Amino acid sequence: MAAGIDPAFLRASDLFENQPEEVLKAVLVQGQLQEYGPGEVVFRQGDEGDRLYIVKSGALEVLASPTDAAEPIPVAYLGPGEVLGELALLTGSPRSASARVPERAELFTVEKPVFLDLMKTLPAFARNLCLVLAKRLEATTLKMPRGSKQLQGNLRYFDLATVIQTLIGSHQTGTLAVTQEGGKSKSRIAEIFFFKGNIAKAKVRHLTGDDAVFQLFQSPLEGDFSFTGRQVQEDEVQADITMPAISLLMESVRLQDELPLLKERITDPDHVYRQKASQLDWQDAETAELAAAVWSRLKKGASMNELQRDVPRNSYALYRTVVSLVDTGQVQ
């Protein structure tokens, strides 16, 4: 029994936000509040759908297997007020995914007999459930947001790429920030602004725009993260991202996969490279500006670590440029 709990978290859920007070009281009396710690599994893919879960605090990680033999991978995160498991209760189907708690969470649970009894005895509950499911179907079809998501935690427990994909997939507008302890206070080292599920602006340390997003995948961050949703008009958005969100993520993954091959060519990031040729010979117009910046920096000599500090481009772009210069005998 969880009758003494403040029902505010239920009203944060689209399943209960419009329910009358008597429905909320009935749910609280007949449900249970459960606490989970880091890594605890709530249920596994294929388990019987025997209860409804509502996140009261913390976050729930949803995992799915691409194939029957593959290990489950994170596909989404659910934050306070979000509901999981209502379709399995209605259809009788087994769990279509697994759920675990990455860091910590309080989950309010309603068992299947209680859920079905609420459907039967409280017409308002049944009507609202139908409305919620209809809205979710509409949101999926029209790609409209399903409310403002709130997520926070420590990146030791969360997969940042999946957090970003969750925000894109739920068409959120707001800011994802990553902070680290620095002396007596926390410093913000990354900030990504989403507008209706697209990444509009990004800043990661000294990098901005596309390069900042690419770098997220090339040198994963550590620290605390939080996403804060907010209402923004389209004419207020000053984007510095040039690619659609999905294309940006696909390119990020490609560069992440190719970077280790380049690092095999430059095994010592502290090795100092210097100009060997009298002038730069570079044929690729698209990357000529970057090549010129690297070439100029190498006039006095610089290591890969120093280039990554001084030239505002992602690691892959810098490694690829230096490898090309080495291969053409222009630096040593």
Side-chain angles (χ1 to χ4, degrees):
M1 180 180 295
I5 298 175
D6 185 344
F9 79 98
L10 287 179
R11 292 208 179 278
S13 161
D14 56 1
L15 184 57
F16 294 100
E17 62 181 346
N18 296 317
Q19 295 288 0
E21 195 68 28
E22 58 269 21
V23 171
L24 298 184
K25 290 180 179 178
V27 172
L28 287 174
V29 167
Q30 298 180 77
Q32 291 185 327
L33 188 64
Q34 299 178 342
E35 295 185 4
Y36 292 82
E40 286 196 62
V41 175
V42 179
F43 57 77
R44 299 186 185 279
Q45 188 171 339
D47 286 354
E48 178 187 358
D50 60 351
R51 65 193 62 204
L52 173 79
Y53 294 89
I54 305 132
V55 182
K56 183 177 184 294
S57 66
L60 194 60
E61 184 178 60
V62 181
L63 305 102
S65 299
T67 64
D68 291 341
E71 285 292 319
I73 59 173
V75 295
Y77 291 104
L78 304 181
E82 294 194 89
V83 177
L84 185 66
E86 73 279 14
L87 287 178
L89 294 184
L90 291 171
T91 64
S93 303
R95 302 291 188 191
S96 59
S98 300
R100 67 183 285 274
V101 173
E103 187 170 4
R104 61 165 192 83
E106 291 180 297
L107 304 180
F108 183 78
T109 66
V110 177
E111 295 185 351
K112 185 173 184 177
V114 174
F115 179 84
L116 297 178
D117 185 59
L118 290 170
M119 291 276 292
K120 181 178 179 181
T121 60
L122 298 171
F125 179 80
R127 285 196 303 270
N128 200 62
L129 177 61
C130 292
L131 180 61
V132 167
L133 295 178
K135 284 183 176 179
R136 289 185 181 181
L137 178 60
E138 181 182 39
T140 301
T141 304
L142 300 178
K143 296 185 178 180
M144 296 295 288
R146 274 177 44 191
S148 178
K149 181 180 288 290
Q150 300 295 322
L151 279 177
Q152 61 181 10
N154 190 286
L155 291 175
R156 286 178 297 172
Y157 305 103
F158 290 79
D159 176 46
L160 183 59
T162 306
V163 172
I164 293 173
Q165 289 172 328
T166 297
L167 297 172
I168 292 172
S170 54
H171 313 286
Q172 296 295 313
T173 295
T175 301
L176 175 68
V178 179
T179 59
Q180 286 183 346
E181 296 286 350
K184 296 181 179 180
S185 61
K186 287 187 175 182
S187 58
R188 182 171 293 198
I189 59 171
E191 188 173 282
I192 304 174
F193 174 67
F194 295 79
F195 181 71
K196 294 182 178 180
N198 256 316
I199 299 175
K201 296 189 70 173
K203 178 175 174 50
V204 178
R205 295 193 173 94
H206 66 299
L207 301 180
T208 59
D210 297 358
D211 275 286
V213 178
F214 295 152
Q215 194 64 35
L216 284 175
F217 291 79
Q218 294 169 23
S219 57
L221 299 176
E222 296 180 352
D224 296 317
F225 76 91
S226 63
F227 175 79
T228 304
R230 59 191 178 97
Q231 296 294 321
V232 178
Q233 298 300 316
E234 189 166 0
D235 58 6
E236 298 178 53
V237 178
Q238 298 179 335
D240 60 13
I241 298 293
T242 65
M243 306 169 67
I246 297 303
S247 300
L248 187 65
L249 289 183
M250 291 177 64
E251 181 68 1
S252 296
V253 171
R254 183 184 73 82
L255 300 184
Q256 180 188 41
D257 290 342
E258 293 183 8
L259 180 58
L261 300 178
L262 294 174
K263 287 187 173 182
E264 289 180 2
R265 300 289 309 281
I266 300 178
T267 56
D268 181 7
D270 291 317
H271 174 77
V272 176
Y273 292 90
R274 290 181 171 82
Q275 295 177 0
K276 182 179 179 182
S278 59
Q279 62 182 15
L280 175 65
D281 179 15
W282 196 267
Q283 304 302 317
D284 182 12
E286 187 175 341
T287 58
E289 184 177 349
L290 170 60
V294 171
W295 179 256
S296 176
R297 182 65 181 80
L298 295 182
K299 184 175 183 179
K300 294 183 178 180
S303 66
M304 282 306 310
N305 283 334
E306 290 170 330
L307 287 173
Q308 290 178 95
R309 182 195 66 199
D310 299 338
V311 181
R313 292 297 303 273
N314 69 85
S315 296
Y316 170 84
L318 292 169
Y319 267 87
R320 186 183 64 178
T321 301
V322 172
V323 166
S324 296
L325 292 171
V326 170
D327 286 345
T328 54
Q330 299 184 70
V331 301
Q332 61 182 4

